Amino acid sequence: MYDIIIIGAGPAGLSAAITARSRGKSALVISGPCADSGLYKAPVIDNYPGLPGISGAELSDRLAKHAEDAGAVFASGKVTSVLTSDGGVSVGFGSEFESGRALILALGIVQTQVFPGEAELLGRGVSYCATCDGMLYRKRKVVVVALAPDAHAEAEYLRSIGCEVTEVTSTKIKILGDTNVTAVEIDGAAVPCDGVFILRKSIAPAALLADLDIRDGHLVVDENFATAVPAVFASGDCVGKPYQIAKAVGEGQRAAFSAIEYIDKGAD
Ligand SMILES: Cc1cc2nc3c(=O)[nH]c(=O)nc-3n(C[C@H](O)[C@H](O)[C@H](O)COP(=O)(O)OP(=O)(O)OC[C@H]3O[C@@H](n4cnc5c(N)ncnc54)[C@H](O)[C@@H]3O)c2cc1C
């Protein structure tokens, strides 16, 4: 078990990792491809103190090396589930799970669109990961809502294990069913199925963890960067504007300090 799991390898997440390590806490950073972070996309940065003219890619590489040299562990993958318990958090990405005493969400600007029926039927026919849940739907009818670059490959994987796959790229989607998914309405037409894989580039925080408080598209945190869920902290663009690197770095550090305090109180 790690002390702190951090989702996101932008400036907020990497700053949190550096701070966690400087206080002797183990830290796992889980992230999608680095090119997905807002930082990596910035061609030239002229307002980060001390490093005028640096490119986003170079700053990203330097921050990642700093965190790695400090002893942070890195894993790549899209986190699709977070479970909390008294003992901490458990985070699912791909077919892997890791657990930690505290979690810091540093997701960047997050998409918040959730289809009607999606949250209600999550885990009861709605899935975000074919690799993790595909076998549950072997030889059954599934719909793949393909909104990420790797979605077609995931649909092919489902076909390879015998699923009857309907692949769609529409965003006019409604998930139907009372206790389990029975159909997906696509552009007004119902397609009967046993499961639906919604494969987006990023996952809406509300879909990761239902009890998070979200306002105007941002995660709500208190002055200590704690979310509404115990053991879960958040920082950077996902908690609000201005969307700036210096802000993200400072908030990542503060979220890490709060997570450390939370862990140390529990250990008393
Ligand atoms: C083109 C461009 C130019 C910019 N120029 C500047 C500038 O000059 N100066 C400035 O201060 N700011 C600039 N910004 C803004 C700045 O890049 C952001 O404010 C900053 O990167 C936010 O940091 P962050 O850590 O919150 O998020 P990000 O840097 O966006 O990092 C988010 C991380 O979360 C990961 N992630 C998200 N969801 C998941 C999931 N479910 N599972 C696993 N990983 C996940 C992503 O892969 C990524 O690693 C610019 C942004 C852009 C796009």
Side-chain angles (χ1 to χ4, degrees), residues 6-14 29-48 54 56 75-81 92-93 105-110 201-204 208 235-239 242-249 251:
I6 297 154
I7 308 177
L14 293 170
V29 181
I30 308 172
S31 165
C34 55
D36 280 357
S37 88
L39 174 61
Y40 210 86
K41 290 174 192 149
V44 182
I45 297 156
D46 273 328
N47 63 345
Y48 189 71
I54 193 167
S76 70
K78 182 165 63 180
V79 173
T80 51
S81 66
F93 56 108
L105 301 170
L107 307 167
I109 297 173
V110 289
K201 219 169 164 184
S202 63
I203 310 279
L208 279 181
S235 58
D237 283 2
C238 64
V239 305
Y243 300 143
Q244 291 282 280
I245 298 159
K247 168 188 169 284
V249 166
E251 289 181 354

Side-chain angles (χ1 to χ4, degrees), residues 78-169:
K78 182 165 63 180
V79 173
T80 51
S81 66
V82 175
L83 297 171
T84 56
S85 66
D86 281 351
V89 295
S90 175
V91 175
F93 56 108
S95 54
E96 293 180 56
F97 273 91
E98 291 288 357
S99 39
R101 292 187 168 78
L103 175 70
I104 296 177
L105 301 170
L107 307 167
I109 297 173
V110 289
Q111 69 86 27
T112 50
Q113 186 198 15
V114 177
F115 297 129
E118 178 179 338
E120 296 83 349
L121 292 166
L122 184 59
R124 291 185 286 128
V126 173
S127 169
Y128 300 124
C129 177
T131 320
C132 328
D133 298 333
M135 285 311 248
L136 299 173
Y137 299 93
R138 209 171 172 197
K139 301 198 170 143
R140 296 166 76 189
K141 286 187 179 176
V142 298
V143 169
V144 169
V145 183
L147 305 175
D150 61 347
H152 181 64
E154 295 258 299
E156 284 302 307
Y157 164 72
L158 290 168
R159 287 190 182 99
S160 77
I161 59 169
C163 296
E164 194 182 313
V165 180
T166 304
E167 205 175 328
V168 294
T169 53

Side-chain angles (χ1 to χ4, degrees), residues 55-66:
S55 71
E58 186 182 351
L59 183 56
S60 172
D61 289 345
R62 283 206 207 182
L63 284 167
K65 185 172 184 317
H66 189 166

Side-chain angles (χ1 to χ4, degrees), residues 204-257:
L208 279 181
L209 200 49
D211 293 336
L212 289 170
D213 197 0
I214 292 162
R215 205 174 304 145
D216 299 329
H218 296 118
L219 288 168
V220 177
V221 287
D222 68 11
E223 67 280 10
N224 298 314
F225 294 88
T227 70
V229 180
V232 180
F233 302 82
S235 58
D237 283 2
C238 64
V239 305
K241 292 179 180 174
Y243 300 143
Q244 291 282 280
I245 298 159
K247 168 188 169 284
V249 166
E251 289 181 354
Q253 184 184 54
R254 291 191 56 196
F257 281 142

